[in-house]
Short mmCIF file of all heavy atoms in Angstrom, two decimals:
data_model
loop_
_atom_site.label_atom_id
_atom_site.label_comp_id
_atom_site.label_asym_id
_atom_site.label_seq_id
_atom_site.Cartn_x
_atom_site.Cartn_y
_atom_site.Cartn_z
N ILE A 368 -17.27 78.41 29.46
CA ILE A 368 -16.44 79.42 30.06
C ILE A 368 -17.24 80.74 30.10
O ILE A 368 -17.82 81.17 29.11
CB ILE A 368 -15.18 79.64 29.18
CG1 ILE A 368 -14.36 78.34 29.22
CG2 ILE A 368 -14.39 80.82 29.71
CD1 ILE A 368 -13.11 78.44 28.31
N SER A 369 -17.25 81.35 31.29
CA SER A 369 -17.95 82.59 31.50
C SER A 369 -17.06 83.83 31.53
O SER A 369 -17.48 84.92 31.25
CB SER A 369 -18.82 82.52 32.79
OG SER A 369 -17.96 82.32 33.91
N SER A 370 -15.79 83.60 31.89
CA SER A 370 -14.84 84.72 31.94
C SER A 370 -13.43 84.17 31.69
O SER A 370 -13.05 83.14 32.32
CB SER A 370 -14.89 85.43 33.33
OG SER A 370 -13.99 86.52 33.37
N ARG A 371 -12.73 84.92 30.79
CA ARG A 371 -11.43 84.42 30.42
C ARG A 371 -10.29 85.11 31.17
O ARG A 371 -10.49 86.09 31.98
CB ARG A 371 -11.18 84.60 28.92
CG ARG A 371 -12.16 83.79 28.10
CD ARG A 371 -11.96 83.97 26.61
NE ARG A 371 -12.87 83.21 25.84
CZ ARG A 371 -12.70 81.95 25.44
NH1 ARG A 371 -11.53 81.37 25.74
NH2 ARG A 371 -13.57 81.29 24.77
N TYR A 372 -9.05 84.70 30.95
CA TYR A 372 -7.89 85.26 31.57
C TYR A 372 -7.59 86.67 30.99
O TYR A 372 -7.67 86.86 29.78
CB TYR A 372 -6.70 84.30 31.33
CG TYR A 372 -5.37 84.78 31.86
CD1 TYR A 372 -4.99 84.45 33.11
CD2 TYR A 372 -4.50 85.48 31.05
CE1 TYR A 372 -3.76 84.84 33.62
CE2 TYR A 372 -3.26 85.88 31.53
CZ TYR A 372 -2.91 85.54 32.85
OH TYR A 372 -1.66 85.96 33.31
N GLY A 373 -7.24 87.68 31.85
CA GLY A 373 -6.93 88.99 31.39
C GLY A 373 -7.56 90.12 32.20
O GLY A 373 -8.28 89.84 33.22
N MET A 374 -7.39 91.33 31.75
CA MET A 374 -8.00 92.50 32.42
C MET A 374 -9.54 92.50 32.30
O MET A 374 -10.07 92.23 31.20
CB MET A 374 -7.40 93.76 31.88
CG MET A 374 -5.92 93.95 32.10
SD MET A 374 -5.49 94.08 33.86
CE MET A 374 -6.36 95.56 34.34
N ARG A 375 -10.19 92.80 33.36
CA ARG A 375 -11.64 92.92 33.36
C ARG A 375 -12.16 93.75 34.53
O ARG A 375 -11.38 94.05 35.49
CB ARG A 375 -12.30 91.53 33.46
CG ARG A 375 -12.08 90.86 34.81
CD ARG A 375 -13.04 89.70 35.06
NE ARG A 375 -12.95 89.24 36.39
CZ ARG A 375 -13.71 88.28 36.93
NH1 ARG A 375 -14.60 87.71 36.16
NH2 ARG A 375 -13.62 87.94 38.21
N ARG A 376 -13.39 94.12 34.51
CA ARG A 376 -14.02 94.86 35.61
C ARG A 376 -14.56 93.86 36.62
O ARG A 376 -15.35 92.97 36.25
CB ARG A 376 -15.17 95.71 35.08
CG ARG A 376 -15.78 96.57 36.19
CD ARG A 376 -16.95 97.41 35.57
NE ARG A 376 -17.53 98.25 36.57
CZ ARG A 376 -17.12 99.42 36.97
NH1 ARG A 376 -16.00 99.96 36.43
NH2 ARG A 376 -17.72 100.13 37.93
N HIS A 377 -14.08 93.88 37.83
CA HIS A 377 -14.45 92.93 38.87
C HIS A 377 -15.92 93.10 39.10
O HIS A 377 -16.48 94.19 39.41
CB HIS A 377 -13.66 93.13 40.15
CG HIS A 377 -13.72 91.98 41.05
ND1 HIS A 377 -14.80 91.73 41.92
CD2 HIS A 377 -12.84 90.94 41.29
CE1 HIS A 377 -14.58 90.66 42.60
NE2 HIS A 377 -13.36 90.14 42.23
N PRO A 378 -16.71 91.99 39.09
CA PRO A 378 -18.16 92.12 39.29
C PRO A 378 -18.59 92.53 40.69
O PRO A 378 -19.71 93.03 40.90
CB PRO A 378 -18.67 90.66 38.98
CG PRO A 378 -17.51 89.81 39.24
CD PRO A 378 -16.28 90.61 38.87
N TYR A 382 -14.03 97.69 39.93
CA TYR A 382 -12.98 98.37 39.15
C TYR A 382 -12.18 97.32 38.35
O TYR A 382 -12.28 96.10 38.61
CB TYR A 382 -12.06 99.10 40.10
CG TYR A 382 -11.34 98.28 41.14
CD1 TYR A 382 -10.10 97.61 40.91
CD2 TYR A 382 -11.89 98.13 42.42
CE1 TYR A 382 -9.49 96.83 41.84
CE2 TYR A 382 -11.28 97.35 43.35
CZ TYR A 382 -10.07 96.73 43.09
OH TYR A 382 -9.48 95.94 44.01
N ARG A 383 -11.42 97.82 37.38
CA ARG A 383 -10.71 96.92 36.47
C ARG A 383 -9.46 96.45 37.23
O ARG A 383 -8.69 97.17 37.78
CB ARG A 383 -10.32 97.62 35.18
CG ARG A 383 -11.53 97.99 34.28
CD ARG A 383 -11.00 98.71 33.08
NE ARG A 383 -10.06 97.94 32.27
CZ ARG A 383 -10.38 96.98 31.41
NH1 ARG A 383 -11.68 96.70 31.19
NH2 ARG A 383 -9.49 96.32 30.70
N ARG A 384 -9.28 95.14 37.04
CA ARG A 384 -8.09 94.52 37.53
C ARG A 384 -7.85 93.23 36.81
O ARG A 384 -8.68 92.69 36.09
CB ARG A 384 -8.12 94.33 39.03
CG ARG A 384 -9.04 93.22 39.51
CD ARG A 384 -9.00 93.11 41.01
NE ARG A 384 -9.26 91.72 41.46
CZ ARG A 384 -9.16 91.37 42.78
NH1 ARG A 384 -8.80 92.27 43.66
NH2 ARG A 384 -9.39 90.13 43.14
N MET A 385 -6.66 92.66 37.05
CA MET A 385 -6.28 91.46 36.34
C MET A 385 -7.04 90.22 36.84
O MET A 385 -7.14 90.01 38.05
CB MET A 385 -4.76 91.18 36.53
CG MET A 385 -4.26 90.03 35.71
SD MET A 385 -4.35 90.30 33.96
CE MET A 385 -3.71 88.72 33.34
N HIS A 386 -7.62 89.49 35.88
CA HIS A 386 -8.32 88.21 36.16
C HIS A 386 -7.31 87.12 35.86
O HIS A 386 -7.03 86.83 34.70
CB HIS A 386 -9.60 88.08 35.38
CG HIS A 386 -10.39 86.88 35.71
ND1 HIS A 386 -10.90 85.98 34.78
CD2 HIS A 386 -10.82 86.39 36.91
CE1 HIS A 386 -11.57 85.04 35.36
NE2 HIS A 386 -11.54 85.25 36.69
N GLY A 387 -6.80 86.47 36.90
CA GLY A 387 -5.69 85.54 36.73
C GLY A 387 -6.08 84.15 36.45
O GLY A 387 -5.28 83.22 36.70
N GLY A 388 -7.29 83.88 35.96
CA GLY A 388 -7.69 82.52 35.67
C GLY A 388 -8.88 82.48 34.69
O GLY A 388 -9.15 83.45 34.00
N VAL A 389 -9.57 81.36 34.69
CA VAL A 389 -10.69 81.16 33.80
C VAL A 389 -11.88 80.68 34.64
O VAL A 389 -11.72 79.78 35.51
CB VAL A 389 -10.40 80.09 32.70
CG1 VAL A 389 -11.62 79.83 31.88
CG2 VAL A 389 -9.25 80.55 31.85
N ASP A 390 -13.07 81.27 34.42
CA ASP A 390 -14.30 80.93 35.18
C ASP A 390 -15.10 79.96 34.31
O ASP A 390 -15.35 80.20 33.14
CB ASP A 390 -15.10 82.13 35.53
CG ASP A 390 -14.38 83.03 36.59
OD1 ASP A 390 -13.42 82.48 37.18
OD2 ASP A 390 -14.74 84.21 36.70
N HIS A 467 -13.49 78.93 39.62
CA HIS A 467 -12.41 79.83 39.18
C HIS A 467 -11.13 78.93 39.11
O HIS A 467 -10.65 78.41 40.12
CB HIS A 467 -12.19 80.97 40.16
CG HIS A 467 -11.00 81.80 39.78
ND1 HIS A 467 -11.00 82.72 38.77
CD2 HIS A 467 -9.74 81.87 40.34
CE1 HIS A 467 -9.83 83.30 38.69
NE2 HIS A 467 -9.03 82.81 39.64
N TYR A 468 -10.61 78.74 37.87
CA TYR A 468 -9.49 77.84 37.62
C TYR A 468 -8.26 78.62 37.20
O TYR A 468 -8.32 79.43 36.29
CB TYR A 468 -9.92 76.85 36.48
CG TYR A 468 -8.85 75.90 36.05
CD1 TYR A 468 -8.43 74.84 36.84
CD2 TYR A 468 -8.22 76.06 34.79
CE1 TYR A 468 -7.47 73.97 36.44
CE2 TYR A 468 -7.28 75.16 34.35
CZ TYR A 468 -6.89 74.11 35.19
OH TYR A 468 -5.93 73.24 34.82
N GLU A 469 -7.16 78.38 37.95
CA GLU A 469 -5.94 79.07 37.69
C GLU A 469 -4.81 78.06 37.37
O GLU A 469 -4.86 76.89 37.77
CB GLU A 469 -5.49 79.92 38.84
CG GLU A 469 -6.38 81.11 39.14
CD GLU A 469 -5.87 81.99 40.28
OE1 GLU A 469 -4.96 81.58 40.99
OE2 GLU A 469 -6.39 83.11 40.40
N MET A 470 -3.77 78.58 36.66
CA MET A 470 -2.61 77.74 36.38
C MET A 470 -1.39 78.54 36.59
O MET A 470 -1.31 79.74 36.28
CB MET A 470 -2.73 77.27 34.90
CG MET A 470 -1.67 76.21 34.55
SD MET A 470 -1.94 75.47 32.94
CE MET A 470 -3.41 74.54 33.29
N LYS A 476 1.35 83.15 37.44
CA LYS A 476 0.08 82.80 36.83
C LYS A 476 0.22 82.88 35.29
O LYS A 476 0.85 83.83 34.74
CB LYS A 476 -1.03 83.71 37.28
CG LYS A 476 -1.39 83.61 38.77
CD LYS A 476 -2.54 84.54 39.08
CE LYS A 476 -2.95 84.40 40.56
NZ LYS A 476 -4.08 85.28 40.94
N ILE A 477 -0.38 81.92 34.62
CA ILE A 477 -0.44 81.93 33.13
C ILE A 477 -1.87 81.65 32.71
O ILE A 477 -2.73 81.25 33.51
CB ILE A 477 0.50 80.85 32.57
CG1 ILE A 477 0.08 79.42 33.01
CG2 ILE A 477 1.96 81.10 32.95
CD1 ILE A 477 0.85 78.29 32.35
N ASP A 478 -2.12 81.84 31.43
CA ASP A 478 -3.44 81.62 30.89
C ASP A 478 -3.71 80.14 30.81
O ASP A 478 -3.05 79.39 30.11
CB ASP A 478 -3.56 82.24 29.51
CG ASP A 478 -4.94 82.18 28.92
OD1 ASP A 478 -5.87 81.66 29.61
OD2 ASP A 478 -5.10 82.57 27.72
N PRO A 479 -4.70 79.62 31.51
CA PRO A 479 -4.95 78.14 31.46
C PRO A 479 -5.36 77.70 30.05
O PRO A 479 -5.08 76.51 29.71
CB PRO A 479 -6.11 77.95 32.40
CG PRO A 479 -6.01 79.12 33.35
CD PRO A 479 -5.54 80.24 32.52
N LEU A 480 -5.92 78.59 29.25
CA LEU A 480 -6.29 78.19 27.88
C LEU A 480 -5.10 78.01 26.96
O LEU A 480 -5.27 77.52 25.83
CB LEU A 480 -7.33 79.18 27.31
CG LEU A 480 -8.61 79.33 28.08
CD1 LEU A 480 -9.52 80.39 27.40
CD2 LEU A 480 -9.35 77.97 28.23
N SER A 481 -3.94 78.52 27.40
CA SER A 481 -2.75 78.34 26.52
C SER A 481 -2.21 76.94 26.65
O SER A 481 -1.33 76.61 25.85
CB SER A 481 -1.69 79.37 26.94
OG SER A 481 -1.23 79.16 28.29
#
Side-chain angles (χ1 to χ4, degrees):
I368 296 176
S369 59
S370 181
R371 298 179 179 271
Y372 178 88
M374 295 296 297
R375 70 163 188 175
R376 183 180 181 83
H377 196 279
Y382 60 87
R383 291 179 60 82
R384 74 178 208 174
M385 184 66 181
H386 184 228
V389 175
D390 292 342
H467 176 76
Y468 176 71
E469 292 185 348
M470 187 171 291
K476 292 182 179 181
I477 62 174
D478 185 3
L480 298 181
S481 64

